[in-house]
Amino acid sequence: MKISDIITQTIIQLLDESEDGRAEIQRNELAENMGCVPSQINYVLSSRFTPERGYQIESYRGGGGYIRITRVRMDKPTAMMHIVNSIGETMDATTARIVLDNCLNASLLSDSAATLICAALSNYVMAVVPPGERDRLRAAILKQMLLSQING
């Protein structure tokens, strides 16, 4: 089993054991307990505990700093709006694919919708747009296509 999977299981166990669906961790302490570097904890949090998977992450810095992970139960429209609102002004093709994969894994999109959106956002399609505008257009299209799936 990969270290990322072990970290994920540990965090999920902490969430399952809490009464309010929240877990607070200290990144360095968890990394030391897991025998990994702190950046591995960041990777797991940013890739597996995402809004589209039903999690909210809050980071508190300072001497007693910690990271709070909250399991959020959202209906499809709320989850999609949260994702749309989290998309910035620009997005590269790899990041768009990750967002779509996460939506697919969270059952927010059908396979066919994810495939269609991915095709529309591909570098092949964006090649007809000036390089400086591709990522802006990609982000705008992704937002609109996700919004179109809210009631679909």
Side-chain angles (χ1 to χ4, degrees):
M1 183 178 290
K2 294 184 206 176
I3 187 69
S4 298
D5 296 331
I6 295 168
I7 295 167
T8 301
Q9 286 181 344
T10 300
I11 294 171
I12 288 173
Q13 183 177 358
L14 290 170
L15 289 166
D16 289 344
E17 291 171 355
S18 74
E19 292 180 15
D20 61 356
R22 291 182 186 194
E24 292 180 1
I25 60 168
Q26 290 190 319
R27 186 178 65 117
N28 291 340
E29 183 179 311
L30 183 59
E32 187 176 314
N33 291 341
M34 296 281 122
C36 66
V37 294
S39 62
Q40 187 70 39
I41 305 298
N42 289 346
Y43 167 76
V44 169
L45 291 173
S46 65
S47 64
R48 299 188 184 188
F49 293 90
T50 61
E52 53 272 13
R53 290 188 176 185
Y55 298 96
Q56 180 180 14
I57 305 290
E58 300 170 79
S59 180
Y60 297 90
R61 304 203 183 272
Y66 59 91
I67 298 170
R68 177 181 295 147
I69 304 134
T70 306
R71 186 180 284 148
V72 181
R73 300 287 181 214
M74 292 184 256
D75 58 11
K76 180 180 176 179
T78 303
M80 288 297 241
M81 285 305 300
H82 189 72
I83 294 163
V84 167
N85 289 331
S86 72
I87 296 171
E89 293 296 313
T90 64
M91 181 168 286
D92 62 29
T94 301
T95 305
R97 180 65 196 183
I98 291 168
V99 169
L100 291 172
D101 285 344
N102 288 339
C103 288
L104 194 57
N105 291 335
S107 300
L108 295 173
L109 290 176
S110 67
D111 287 337
S112 60
T115 300
L116 183 65
I117 295 169
C118 190
L121 301 176
S122 71
N123 284 328
Y124 178 77
V125 171
M126 294 296 159
V128 300
V129 178
E133 295 296 313
R134 292 175 186 168
D135 290 349
R136 278 178 26 102
L137 179 59
R138 185 179 286 112
I141 291 171
L142 179 57
K143 289 175 186 179
Q144 289 304 307
M145 293 185 106
L146 290 177
L147 287 172
S148 76
Q149 295 298 304
I150 287 179
N151 295 317

